[in-house]
Amino acid sequence: MDDNPNRIKLMLAIENDDIEKALEILKEDNSNELLQPVGLLRITVVHLVAWKGHLNLLKQLYERGANINTSDKIGRSALFYAAHAGHLEVTQWLLKQNSLKETKIGIEFCCRRHDLQKQSTDRVDSLIGQDLPVPECCGRTPLHQAAKNNHLDVVKTLVKAGSNVNAQDERGNTALLLAGYNVNSNDVIEMSNYVEIIDVLVSAKASTNVIDLKTGLTALHHATKLGSPKAVKILLDGNAWPLFQCNDTKSTPLHVAASDGNLEILIILLKKIHQKHIDIRDKNGQTALYRACYQSYRECARVLIDHGGNLSAETKSGVTVIDAVFAHITSPRSFLSDIMDACVQLISHENIGEDARISVDFSILAPQRDLQTNVIIAFITATSNVEKLAILQHPLIETFLCLKWAKLRFFFFLYFLFYVFFVLSLSIFAITLLRKSNYFIPQIILFFCSTILLLNNSIQVSLLPRHYMKQFEIWLSFISAALSFMACMIVDNHQFIIIDTKNEISTPKFVLHLISIAILLGWIEMMLLIGRFPTWGYYALMFSTVLSNILKVLLAFTCMIFGFALSFTVLFYENEQFHDCWNSIVKIIVMMMGEYDYTDLFPNNTKTDKFFLTFTAKVIFLGFVLLMSMVLMNLMIGLAVNDIQGLQKMGHIRRLLKQAEFVAHLEKLTYDQLFKSNLLHPWFKTIVNSKRLVPTKIVLNYRDNNLCKSFRGISLELMESLFLLASKNNQQDKSNLIGFKSRYTGTKVMSSLINLQEQVHQLQKLRKPSISGKHLKLRRKRTVGKKIAT
């Protein structure tokens, strides 16, 4: 046990805030033994008095010869205790007495062997100082602790006294990095102190880009997560880097602000970020725009898009921003329409007249360093709902597609001409084979064309398999080219040569089968290619829609068709047309069109004994006429007519869909390595480069007679839609401006009422039910790092 029991009584009295008893003990004993350390941590009376903030008692101890710079076993001095607890007067007095400001606590203090006369093991002795701050052997200074615990006045005092604001602990943390560590973001006073601490430290030239070695976060990450626009602005003005990526998630402050939906901080950060860095990605490939859309923050997403955010940016899992918009943003079509509406503006805020001009900005559809059609393709792949695809009818998208088509149709004509050569060579090759003429030249042309088509289709599928695998045209072209290629290879193979009775070379029949299928599919694909032209697109869409629905109806009634076919095979077994099942099915389908051949099925001169199934046959035949010829055929005709009428409403969307897909295909084709190789002539490369891109911003005149020469492809109806949209935006801007003035330029009375309302709101926050000390300590232990991790 300690030799002097009064020393323990003195310390316990100070720890229990019993100052009167402590003074009595000091009066009774004038020896300096009461100032000696006690306990395992070697706590002194000076440490306890500084921690409790009793300045008068501290002065008396100092007059009795107490050493204010002595440290405990961990290295904590009186100044450290005062700064940690936030006692301003004690801190100021200690600094006047030249207390050491840069003393650090650390592992070397924990391991230091003190020359002690006697180590006490008494239970009461060991309990002294148990409520002191938890030991942190990481080399922190008093300024670290004051900033960490949000003691504004103490931080100001220490900085003014010359404390090193860039001192780092063993984890690399500075006072600026620890600021806000125990701040409750919902507490107005704590947040106000935090902002001022940031201001004090930054003004003292504290480094704003120091990194927490454990989490990889910066002070700007903390300020963004706490939701303090003022702190964020102070740090940015102090040259904090807004795009620093943390070690773990690779998130930037921009990602944090977008995830939390903090619009004000997001706007402040974007002022310091160049547009080309807006799509920086985290470890999952997510951009700030993706996070804002995923969290359903419409305004944050809109600000990021206006600043150049890429709507087609993909995550590592292949999910685009557009996918997040349609999945998580309420009313995605209206959201995107509003953004695109703002891209069409009047150059002057005057009413549209003969000299009015508008600017059309395609930046949202054609981001830099990316294919210009990627955003539109992202629109298409994000949803299969035709109603959602109605966004393609927006004047901005339609104008962009028209201009893009006008640029790229040169390559379409080349592709169309190439396909014409393919189909003609295939047809001529088939005719020469049948006539046993010289087929060498058409065979060479067919071999070359089919090889190029196979490569082209393979590249398309590999680039975007999810989309192109569903395209009917791709399958038609691929099968036709593959069959043509096989036919060319088989004809030249000597193993398949057949010598007929006249000693002449004959073509194998299975080759003719392949060629017949290839010819049919090739010419159908030619028809669909002609439908790519904007003028004829409706007809191709009508054909494909009617064909699709008829096939669906036939598949739905396949069982009934097979039932009648097999029944007629039994009833008319002596008729050659129903000799087997296949002939029966073909005949049934022909009979559905009205070709019955009734006299062949039921001849009048037939003897009764040969046709003992006549009655049953007539009954089933009557059922076939009613069910198949009348009901089913009229059903298919009605669906076809109804589809055509519906197509007049949705046909415009479908035509734009097909046009967008093909324009995207042509653009990708121009970026192929073939057009960059030395095999092509330089003048052709120049043409390709000039046809790739459309200007991201154009200006249209309302009464421009040379419009067709300047911007070919824009119809008069589309031009009128653009000007109507610009006029509507102009009127909305004026109304918003009037509303803004009416809200913020009112009388002094209105301004006073607004200020009064804000003050009442702050008082309501401050007058919340009090929280117990235990719960308050638990709440203050919440760290910004944990918030970001969650």
Side-chain angles (χ1 to χ4, degrees), residues 246-292:
C246 66
N247 297 334
D248 186 16
T249 62
K250 300 298 180 184
S251 297
T252 66
L254 191 67
H255 287 92
V256 176
S259 298
D260 293 342
N262 200 315
L263 181 61
E264 188 175 356
I265 291 180
L266 197 65
I267 294 173
I268 294 173
L269 290 171
L270 289 175
K271 291 180 180 179
K272 296 288 185 178
I273 298 175
H274 193 274
Q275 185 174 348
K276 65 181 180 181
H277 300 304
I278 191 67
D279 291 318
I280 189 170
R281 303 167 188 263
D282 60 10
K283 72 173 184 179
N284 296 321
Q286 298 176 358
T287 63
L289 177 57
Y290 178 88
R291 287 196 180 187

Side-chain angles (χ1 to χ4, degrees), residues 343-534:
C343 296
V344 183
Q345 295 289 339
L346 280 174
I347 294 180
S348 60
H349 292 285
E350 298 177 358
N351 294 329
I352 291 182
E354 294 184 357
D355 298 330
R357 297 190 303 164
I358 63 170
S359 65
V360 184
D361 191 356
F362 300 118
S363 299
I364 183 178
L365 301 177
Q368 296 179 357
R369 304 174 307 279
D370 209 347
L371 295 181
Q372 289 189 324
T373 54
N374 276 4
V375 173
I376 296 180
I377 291 300
F379 276 113
I380 297 172
T381 55
T383 176
S384 58
N385 191 340
V386 179
E387 294 181 358
K388 292 182 179 179
L389 284 176
I391 191 69
L392 296 176
Q393 288 182 302
H394 193 278
L396 185 72
I397 295 181
E398 192 168 354
T399 303
F400 178 77
L401 288 176
C402 289
L403 295 177
K404 200 71 179 175
W405 168 257
K407 281 278 188 179
L408 294 173
R409 61 185 176 186
F410 169 77
F411 302 102
F412 171 73
F413 291 141
L414 288 179
Y415 180 78
F416 183 76
L417 183 62
F418 172 79
Y419 204 85
V420 169
F421 275 114
F422 166 72
V423 175
L424 291 178
S425 62
L426 176 61
S427 303
I428 295 173
F429 177 66
I431 294 173
T432 52
L433 279 179
L434 293 175
R435 295 184 177 181
K436 301 179 181 180
S437 303
N438 186 4
Y439 54 81
F440 179 74
I441 295 178
Q443 181 187 9
I444 294 298
I445 297 175
L446 179 60
F447 178 80
F448 173 77
C449 294
S450 59
T451 304
I452 297 298
L453 281 177
L454 287 174
L455 291 175
N456 177 49
N457 294 329
S458 302
I459 291 173
Q460 289 184 66
V461 174
S462 62
L463 290 176
L464 201 60
R466 185 176 65 173
H467 176 66
Y468 283 111
M469 289 292 289
K470 301 177 183 178
Q471 298 298 312
F472 179 67
E473 294 88 341
I474 291 292
W475 287 104
L476 281 182
S477 177
F478 183 82
I479 295 174
S480 178
L483 294 178
S484 301
F485 181 82
M486 292 173 58
C488 291
M489 298 298 294
I490 291 173
V491 168
D492 281 343
N493 195 329
H494 295 287
Q495 296 180 358
F496 296 98
I497 294 178
I498 298 176
I499 308 297
D500 58 10
T501 56
K502 298 181 180 180
N503 292 326
E504 294 181 354
I505 298 175
S506 179
T507 304
K509 290 186 178 180
F510 74 92
V511 176
L512 297 179
H513 287 297
L514 296 179
I515 294 176
S516 63
I517 298 173
I519 289 176
L520 176 62
L521 298 181
W523 281 99
I524 293 176
E525 174 66 12
M526 176 72 72
M527 177 196 69
L528 297 177
L529 279 179
I530 294 175
R532 296 289 188 181
F533 289 95

Side-chain angles (χ1 to χ4, degrees), residues 535-573:
T535 307
W536 302 327
Y538 284 106
Y539 305 111
L541 285 172
M542 289 179 183
F543 175 81
S544 61
T545 304
V546 172
L547 174 63
S548 174
N549 286 326
I550 287 179
L551 290 177
K552 291 177 182 178
V553 173
L554 289 177
L555 288 175
F557 292 93
T558 300
C559 295
M560 189 165 61
I561 294 174
F562 272 103
F564 277 110
L566 295 175
S567 178
F568 282 8
T569 301
V570 175
L571 293 172
F572 304 105
Y573 62 91

Side-chain angles (χ1 to χ4, degrees), residues 152-170:
L152 171 61
D153 294 330
V154 177
V155 171
K156 287 182 178 179
T157 302
L158 291 172
V159 171
K160 187 177 181 180
S163 295
N164 184 8
V165 295
N166 289 315
Q168 295 185 356
D169 62 11
E170 295 174 0

Side-chain angles (χ1 to χ4, degrees), residues 125-169:
D125 192 4
S126 62
L127 289 177
I128 295 177
Q130 65 177 353
D131 292 332
L132 289 173
V134 178
E136 294 178 340
C137 299
C138 49
R140 290 180 180 169
T141 65
L143 182 60
H144 281 102
Q145 295 304 110
K148 175 185 175 182
N149 293 324
N150 208 37
H151 300 315
L152 171 61
D153 294 330
V154 177
V155 171
K156 287 182 178 179
T157 302
L158 291 172
V159 171
K160 187 177 181 180
S163 295
N164 184 8
V165 295
N166 289 315
Q168 295 185 356
D169 62 11

